[in-house]
Every structure is written in structure tokens, then in C-alpha cells.
Amino acid sequence: MRTIGVLMTQPMMPYLLETLESKFTVYRLWEAKNPEAFVAEHSNSIHAVVGNTAVGASAELIDSLPKLEIVSTYSVGLDKVDLAKCKERKIVITNTPDVLTDDVADLAIGLALATLRQICAADRYVRQGSWLKGEYKLTTKLSGKNIGIVGLGRIGLAVAKRAEAFGCNIAYNSRSKRFDTTYPYYSSVTDLAARSDVLVVACPLTKETWHIIDRSVLDALGPKATLVNIGRGPLVDEKELVKALVEARLGGAGLDVFENEPSVPKELFDMENVVLLPHVGSSTWETSKDMADLVVGNLEAYYSKKPLLTPVE
């Protein structure tokens, strides 16, 4: 396998890069001064692409790689992979499901707690010496709240399980009703938002879910509710979100993802009712290693003509 060329689109976990380089010939796209020229130069040597949530396998990249056979993405989400082009070219796709479910669900609850209890703002209050001048203001509890989940897949279910431990009431919206759960189902995201104190966005990003959280949903949530997004940035109409927060039509937001990462609207920076994270939902050593092992394991399986570990059907 050492001679098989693998194009790595972005710097990722060092362990992943080191493991790939010990087994394959790795081409580092991010180091190229002229990425298009770099790909053209090595196009006949590259048989696999390893991408992530920032740079995956676009139609343009796929078209420029005539020998491409497999895309092994270091993510669960596939929004950076052109699925139609892969299908057209009969290119195999693998991702890294399940192993990051717990981390992302943990972070969703962490964002809800941090936003409702204003943990980050309270931390700054102490560090700035403000506590010496008086007590911090009262905040809002999470326990017992109505939690709406947009997307009751692996991660959505894990969020629900954790929220139940806080005595929260769960309801959800998905493409269709699930019959393996008793949680109330809402076919309308707006209707779900109207009954939610906290709305957690956990669905995949597709053409259908782009801006699924729009002004109507934000207005349905209202000035006492909180939005938590651990899915993808473009699931939320960010301009409308900023307006709703600035105009106090929305109570707060806990955000791990943004529409134009790594750019974040500056209007959010000084808001005590907003918690901002740099897309770190699955960024723990343990999970990152598990994801890396899946990426490499899928490549090894493919080139050994063994069953793939996590194929995307």
C-alpha cells in the first residue's frame, strides 16, 4: 500500500497524518502554494482523498483526479463531499460515525448549561474583579426545561438521553417520525420551536436543511428561549440569528458552528447570553484518535479488498 497516493486536504490530527504516512504516500494539499497546480501535477498518482469538515471532495477536485477511487472523510457529515459526483464516478465514500456521538452530545448539553447559566460571562466576572463590587445576576436553570431536537439521529438521540437526566421534556423534528421512541414528534420545526425552551440543532446539512432555522423559527422560540447549534453553521440563517439576538427577540445561543467558519459575526462577541466555540464538537484526544483509526482502517480495508468499516451507502 505504500505506493498508493492519498491526498490530504487539510492539516488534521497529527496522529492521523503520521499513521497515513507510515502506510501510504501522502500528498499535503494545504502546503501547496498553488493547490490547483499541485493537484494537476500529482493527479495520476492520487487514488484516495482524506478530507474533513473544512475541505472535503468537491466536484472540481474529483474531476481533477482521474484515478480517484475512495474518499475517506474525517467526519460524520458529508456536506463537503459531492455525493452526486462520487456516485457518477463510482467512487467509494466512508465517514466516521458513532465514535464522535458522545462528545458532540456532551458538548450540546455543555452549551445549553453554559448559555442558560452564563458560565462564561460569570467566569469573566470573577477574573475581572467584578465580584468584589457585588454579586453576579441571577440566571436560568436547565433542569426541567422543554428541549426540542432538530434531527433525532445518533447525536440527537444521545442529546435526548442526556437531557432526560436533567429532568427535561423532549420533543423532536426529523425527516419522518421515528417509531422506536416515545418522544413527541413535530413535523414542523416552527411548531417544535414554539414549545421549546432550548432548541438543539443536530441534523445533517443538506439542500433541504439549509437555513432550516430561519426567522420564523427564531421568532417562534422567542425572547426567553435558547438556540444550540452543534450541527453545521448553514443550518441556521446567521444574519437572522444575529438580528434576533441584537433585538432581544431570542433569549440566547450556544454555537459550536458558524455559516462562514472561521469567521464569526462580531456582533456576538460581547453578548453575555451567547457562548461561542470554534467547531470543537468532537475535538477530544480520545475521539479524534478513534476517528483517525476509522479513516485509516477504511483505506486499508478498501485496498486489501476487505469489507469497509463504515461505508456510506
Side-chain angles (χ1 to χ4, degrees), residues 265-276:
K266 294 181 180 179
E267 296 94 328
L268 304 179
F269 289 175
D270 295 324
M271 293 184 178
E272 293 184 348
N273 58 334
V274 176
V275 177
L276 308 171

Side-chain angles (χ1 to χ4, degrees), residues 2-261:
R2 193 69 181 80
T3 59
I4 296 170
V6 176
L7 179 69
M8 197 169 180
T9 63
Q10 284 271 287
M12 303 176 205
M13 187 187 191
Y15 168 79
L16 174 58
L17 177 59
E18 292 164 8
T19 306
L20 283 172
E21 289 187 327
S22 72
K23 300 174 183 291
F24 303 94
T25 298
V26 177
Y27 296 90
R28 306 183 184 192
L29 181 61
W30 70 93
E31 292 182 350
K33 292 181 179 179
N34 186 330
E36 290 183 2
F38 180 81
V39 170
E41 179 184 353
H42 300 288
S43 61
N44 288 316
S45 301
I46 295 169
H47 294 261
V49 167
V50 172
N52 62 4
T53 58
V55 181
S58 65
E60 293 75 18
L61 179 61
I62 294 169
D63 281 339
S64 66
L65 297 172
K67 301 294 180 65
L68 183 62
E69 301 171 293
I70 180 172
V71 174
S72 186
T73 182
Y74 183 68
S75 66
V76 172
L78 300 168
D79 48 288
K80 295 298 183 179
V81 178
D82 193 304
L83 302 179
K85 180 62 69 171
C86 285
K87 184 177 181 180
E88 175 189 322
R89 287 270 306 272
K90 296 182 180 179
I91 293 167
V92 172
I93 306 170
T94 66
N95 63 347
T96 60
D98 297 322
V99 295
L100 51 68
T101 297
D102 285 339
D103 277 354
V104 179
D106 288 349
L107 196 73
I109 297 300
L111 280 168
L113 273 171
T115 306
L116 291 172
R117 297 301 306 272
Q118 296 193 6
I119 291 174
C120 299
D123 175 84
R124 290 193 296 271
Y125 190 83
V126 174
R127 293 175 188 271
Q128 294 168 357
S130 300
W131 194 13
L132 297 170
K133 304 172 186 177
E135 297 294 321
Y136 192 71
K137 60 187 176 183
L138 296 177
T139 57
T140 302
K141 67 189 294 184
L142 173 62
S143 298
K145 289 292 189 287
N146 294 320
I147 307 293
I149 300 174
V150 181
L152 201 68
R154 295 182 184 92
I155 292 171
L157 279 170
V159 173
K161 181 179 179 181
R162 285 156 174 75
E164 281 188 308
F166 285 84
C168 294
N169 304 302
I170 313 299
Y172 74 99
N173 163 271
S174 280
R175 285 177 296 179
S176 58
K177 183 176 181 179
R178 296 186 61 137
F179 294 96
D180 57 350
T181 178
T182 59
Y183 301 137
Y185 169 71
Y186 286 75
S187 60
S188 162
V189 179
T190 304
D191 290 344
L192 176 65
R195 58 79 63 197
S196 299
D197 299 307
V198 177
L199 188 69
V200 179
V201 186
C203 60
L205 177 61
T206 65
K207 291 179 180 178
E208 293 73 29
T209 60
W210 183 82
H211 282 190
I212 192 171
I213 308 301
D214 57 14
R215 180 172 181 133
S216 67
V217 174
L218 296 170
D219 284 344
L221 272 171
K224 293 185 178 180
T226 294
L227 178 74
V228 171
N229 189 4
I230 43 83
R232 288 289 185 270
L235 293 168
V236 177
D237 185 332
E238 201 165 82
K239 290 183 179 179
E240 289 297 336
L241 173 63
V242 171
K243 287 180 184 177
L245 289 164
V246 169
E247 296 168 8
R249 290 185 286 108
L250 180 67
L255 308 171
D256 183 45
V257 289
F258 303 88
E259 195 156 3
N260 298 295
E261 296 176 4

Side-chain angles (χ1 to χ4, degrees), residues 267-313:
E267 296 94 328
L268 304 179
F269 289 175
D270 295 324
M271 293 184 178
E272 293 184 348
N273 58 334
V274 176
V275 177
L276 308 171
L277 296 180
H279 201 155
V280 293
S282 61
S283 298
T284 65
W285 286 107
E286 298 88 345
T287 291
S288 295
K289 181 180 183 300
D290 289 342
M291 291 170 65
D293 286 339
L294 274 180
V295 168
V296 176
N298 277 308
L299 291 174
E300 289 181 313
Y302 180 80
Y303 288 108
S304 300
K305 300 188 184 305
K306 295 179 181 178
L308 297 170
L309 304 179
T310 52
V312 175
E313 302 297 339

